[in-house]
C-alpha cells in the first residue's frame, strides 16, 4: 500500500511541526540528523543544512529529487549529504512510507551500542516486537552504496536501530513517524534506566509481546489513534507564530 498524499502545504506544516517537536522534546542534535517527507513525483522535503530544528519553518524546507538534485532551496543552505543517502534510499524502497525520521539522542545511541539491542521490557518496547530492524554502522552515511544495505536491513519494518549511531522511524504520515520515534526513544530510556539498577529484569514472553504489538497497530489505525494523537502534539506549537509563515 502506498502512502497517501496530503496537500503539499499540509505536508510542509506537519514536517516543520515535527522538527519543532523533536527539538522541544530534546531529541535534536544541533544541525545534524534529518526528517524527510515524501512529495508527489519522486521528490521529498528535507531540512536546510544549518538551521536548528526549532528554527525550521514550513516555507524553508528544501525540495530534492531521487537523484539528489536540489529543486527548491529557499534559504540557500542546501542539504546534509548523509541525509540524502539515508532518506532517498528509504523513500525509493518503501512506497508505504511518507515520512522518515532520524535522531541521535543519548539514550538512542547508548541503546544502539548494546549487543542485545532493545529488550521486550515494557509497553513501549513491546509494540516493536519482531518489528524493529538493525543496521550495522558503516561510518558517516556518505557512501551511496550503503543505501542498498540500509533498505535490505530495514525490510518491512518501520523502526530501525542504526548501530553505534542512532535511531530511525518511518510513518505513513509525519505524525506516525514522530509518534513511533518518541515511543522508541522512551523504550531506550526505560531500558537503560532498568539496566542501570543492576537488578534482574523481567522480560515479556514472545506471545505477550506479539499481542501488545498488534494492539498498537489496531490503535494506530483507529479514529482515536495516531491522527488524533498527532493533532494533540501539533497543538503544543500553537503559540509559535513563525512555524508556518
Ligand atoms: Zn545520523
Amino acid at each position: 500500500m502506498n502512502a497517501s498524499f496530503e496537500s503539499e502545504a499540509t505536508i510542509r506544516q506537519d514536517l516543520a511541526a515535527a522538527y519543532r517537536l523533536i527539538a522541544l522534546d530534546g531529541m535534536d542534535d544541533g544541525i545534524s540528523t534529518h526528517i524527510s517527507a515524501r512529495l508527489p513525483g519522486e521528490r521529498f522535503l528535507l531540512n536546510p543544512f544549518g538551521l536548528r530544528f526549532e528554527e525550521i519553518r514550513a516555507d524553508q524546507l528544501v525540495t530534492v529529487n531521487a537523484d539528489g538534485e536540489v529543486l527548491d532551496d529557499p534559504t540557500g543552505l542546501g542539504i546534509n549529504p548523509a541525509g540524502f543517502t539515508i532518506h532517498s534510499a528509504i523513500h525509493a524502497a518503501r512506497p508505504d512510507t511518507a515520512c522518515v525520521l532520524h535522531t541521535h539522542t543519548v539514550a538512542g545511541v547508548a541503546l544502539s551500542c548494546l549487543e542485545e539491542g532493545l529488550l521486550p521490557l515494557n509497553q513501549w518496547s513491546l509494540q516493536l516486537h519482531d518489528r524493529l530492524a538493525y543496521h550495522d554502522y558503516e561510518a558517516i552515511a556518505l557512501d551511496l552504496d550503503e543505501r542498498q544495505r540500509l533498505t535490505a536491513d530495514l525490510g518491512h519494518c518501520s523502526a530501525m536501530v542504526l548501530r553505534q549511531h542512532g535511531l530511525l522511524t518511518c510513518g505513513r504520515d509525519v505524525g506516525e513517524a514522530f509518534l513511533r520515534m518518541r515511543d522508541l526513544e522512551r523504550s531506550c530510556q526505560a531500558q537503560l534506566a532498568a539496566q542501570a539498577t543492576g537488578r534482574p529484569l523481567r522480560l515479556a514472553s514472545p506471545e505477550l509481546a506479539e499481542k501488545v504489538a498488534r494492539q498498537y497497530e489496531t490503535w494506530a489505525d483507529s479514529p482515536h489513534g495516531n491522527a488524533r494523537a498527532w493533532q494533540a502534539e501539533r497543538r503544543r506549537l500553537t503559540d509559535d507564530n513563525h512555524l508556518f509563515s
Side-chain angles (χ1 to χ4, degrees), residues 13-127:
Q13 291 174 5
D14 276 342
L15 185 57
Y19 278 106
R20 300 291 184 106
L21 288 164
I22 286 289
L24 197 59
D25 288 342
M27 291 192 278
D28 57 331
D29 180 20
I31 63 168
S32 300
T33 85
H34 8 81
I35 316 169
S36 65
R38 182 194 298 272
L39 294 174
E42 297 186 347
R43 301 171 301 147
F44 59 92
L45 296 167
L46 268 178
N47 47 318
F49 190 26
L51 297 183
R52 298 189 314 278
F53 282 17
E54 69 265 30
E55 296 179 305
I56 292 172
R57 297 195 325 240
D59 64 353
Q60 294 173 323
L61 294 162
V62 182
T63 308
V64 292
N65 67 15
D67 297 322
E69 294 168 342
V70 173
L71 304 177
D72 181 43
D73 182 8
T75 66
L77 289 167
I79 58 168
N80 182 336
F84 173 75
T85 302
I86 293 170
H87 292 262
S88 65
I90 297 173
H91 284 295
R94 289 283 300 270
D96 60 319
T97 289
C99 178
V100 181
L101 201 168
H102 169 48
T103 62
H104 306 152
T105 61
V106 173
V109 173
L111 189 287
S112 80
C113 299
L114 298 180
E115 199 62 47
E116 70 263 32
L118 191 70
L119 299 173
L121 284 170
N122 57 70
Q123 193 163 276
W124 286 316
S125 54
L126 296 186
Q127 69 178 285

Side-chain angles (χ1 to χ4, degrees), residues 1-6 11 36-41 90-91 93-100 170-174 176:
M1 186 179 70
N2 289 352
S4 61
F5 285 121
E6 298 166 294
I11 294 168
S36 65
R38 182 194 298 272
L39 294 174
I90 297 173
H91 284 295
R94 289 283 300 270
D96 60 319
T97 289
C99 178
V100 181
C170 305
R172 292 169 292 180
D173 52 41
V174 172
E176 186 170 74

Side-chain angles (χ1 to χ4, degrees), residues 23-244:
L24 197 59
D25 288 342
M27 291 192 278
D28 57 331
D29 180 20
I31 63 168
S32 300
T33 85
H34 8 81
I35 316 169
S36 65
R38 182 194 298 272
L39 294 174
E42 297 186 347
R43 301 171 301 147
F44 59 92
L45 296 167
L46 268 178
N47 47 318
F49 190 26
L51 297 183
R52 298 189 314 278
F53 282 17
E54 69 265 30
E55 296 179 305
I56 292 172
R57 297 195 325 240
D59 64 353
Q60 294 173 323
L61 294 162
V62 182
T63 308
V64 292
N65 67 15
D67 297 322
E69 294 168 342
V70 173
L71 304 177
D72 181 43
D73 182 8
T75 66
L77 289 167
I79 58 168
N80 182 336
F84 173 75
T85 302
I86 293 170
H87 292 262
S88 65
I90 297 173
H91 284 295
R94 289 283 300 270
D96 60 319
T97 289
C99 178
V100 181
L101 201 168
H102 169 48
T103 62
H104 306 152
T105 61
V106 173
V109 173
L111 189 287
S112 80
C113 299
L114 298 180
E115 199 62 47
E116 70 263 32
L118 191 70
L119 299 173
L121 284 170
N122 57 70
Q123 193 163 276
W124 286 316
S125 54
L126 296 186
Q127 69 178 285
L128 293 166
H129 171 69
D130 271 349
R131 291 156 177 80
L132 182 62
Y134 292 85
H135 176 66
D136 285 348
Y137 189 56
E138 301 188 19
I140 294 172
L142 300 176
D143 179 0
L144 290 176
D145 287 347
E146 186 177 352
R147 294 191 292 185
Q148 207 169 3
R149 295 182 289 278
L150 191 77
T151 54
D153 286 337
L154 181 64
H156 297 293
C157 294
S158 292
M160 184 154 71
V161 174
L162 303 173
R163 292 193 184 276
Q164 299 164 291
H165 178 182
L167 304 174
L168 184 144
T169 57
C170 305
R172 292 169 292 180
D173 52 41
V174 172
E176 186 170 74
F178 174 83
L179 295 165
R180 186 169 279 135
M181 177 57 77
R182 196 168 57 187
D183 282 359
L184 176 56
E185 171 69 20
R186 287 174 172 172
S187 299
C188 297
Q189 292 179 8
Q191 176 172 327
L192 296 168
Q195 289 175 318
T197 67
R199 304 291 299 158
L201 300 176
R202 177 178 288 259
L203 302 184
S205 69
E207 294 75 22
L208 178 59
E210 179 62 25
K211 179 178 179 179
V212 174
R214 292 187 183 192
Q215 287 176 320
Y216 267 91
E217 287 169 350
T218 301
W219 178 85
D221 290 334
S222 76
H224 306 288
N226 279 348
R228 185 174 293 188
W230 174 240
Q231 290 309 313
E233 296 297 332
R234 284 276 306 261
R235 290 197 295 276
R236 296 167 64 197
L237 299 168
T238 50
D239 290 334
D240 186 339
N241 296 320
H242 304 292
L243 178 59
F244 308 127

